[in-house]
Amino acid sequence: MKILRTLCFAFSVYSVPAAVLAQDARYVSPVDGDTIYILLDGELERLRLKGIDTAETRGRTFCPGQRGGVRPREYQAGVAAAEWVERVLATTDVIEVVFAREADGTIERDGFDRPLGDLLIYGVSLSRELLTSGYARPWPRGERWWCK
């Protein structure tokens, strides 16, 4: 497992300011392209990358006009994003976790109680790299290109 330095402060996906080292965490594996398993204070957490969305690999589809489970094109795009994340993180020695913060200083969480944040790889945002590499869309308003 890779050792992560956890950074805690409010941030934007597109510009990440310098921060203070707060605690240790460990990278475990990607859940999919926009959610990463990490060990934080000995607890397994699903870190949700803030500000991006990747195609689904399980559960229900979010593509308009489609019902039921994830469709083949969406599934393939989701798997490609998760595999890209795995390749990048497996070959990286320096990974930092940056948590989004509420006004009161607590870690911001999504509707599924996942902590929101980003991973910095040698100081570069994983979320931004997923966007520029074409594996993700901006969240919440980007086009779901994998639905076409």
Side-chain angles (χ1 to χ4, degrees):
M1 283 193 252
K2 303 288 182 180
I3 294 179
L4 304 172
R5 289 184 291 158
T6 305
L7 304 176
C8 300
F9 60 92
F11 77 100
S12 159
V13 170
Y14 301 106
S15 63
V16 181
V20 178
L21 179 65
Q23 59 198 127
D24 286 331
R26 293 186 183 275
Y27 161 72
V28 178
S29 67
V31 175
D32 56 26
D34 56 26
T35 307
I36 313 294
Y37 279 122
I38 61 171
L39 281 176
L40 179 63
D41 295 332
E43 299 289 325
L44 189 64
E45 288 269 10
R46 293 176 304 146
L47 175 73
R48 176 64 165 82
L49 299 177
K50 185 174 180 172
I52 67 163
D53 184 36
T54 62
E56 299 301 319
T57 58
R58 62 188 114 181
R60 65 187 177 108
T61 185
F62 292 97
C63 293
Q66 296 183 16
R67 297 185 187 270
V70 175
R71 298 295 185 244
R73 181 180 168 118
E74 184 178 13
Y75 175 80
Q76 291 166 356
V79 168
E83 289 174 347
W84 184 87
V85 167
E86 175 64 23
R87 280 192 310 274
V88 168
L89 296 179
T91 60
T92 303
D93 293 323
V94 179
I95 304 168
E96 298 170 322
V97 181
V98 181
F99 289 108
R101 292 292 184 165
E102 300 285 356
D104 66 2
T106 59
I107 295 173
E108 185 179 349
R109 291 183 175 266
D110 69 2
F112 299 102
D113 199 37
R114 298 175 295 192
L116 296 174
D118 198 0
L119 296 181
L120 300 182
I121 302 157
Y122 298 106
V124 176
S125 164
L126 180 63
S127 295
R128 180 179 231 164
E129 291 302 305
L130 278 161
L131 284 170
T132 59
S133 297
Y135 291 105
R137 70 181 182 116
W139 174 257
R141 291 183 175 78
E143 180 183 16
R144 290 185 179 109
W145 54 265
W146 51 83
C147 291
K148 294 181 177 182

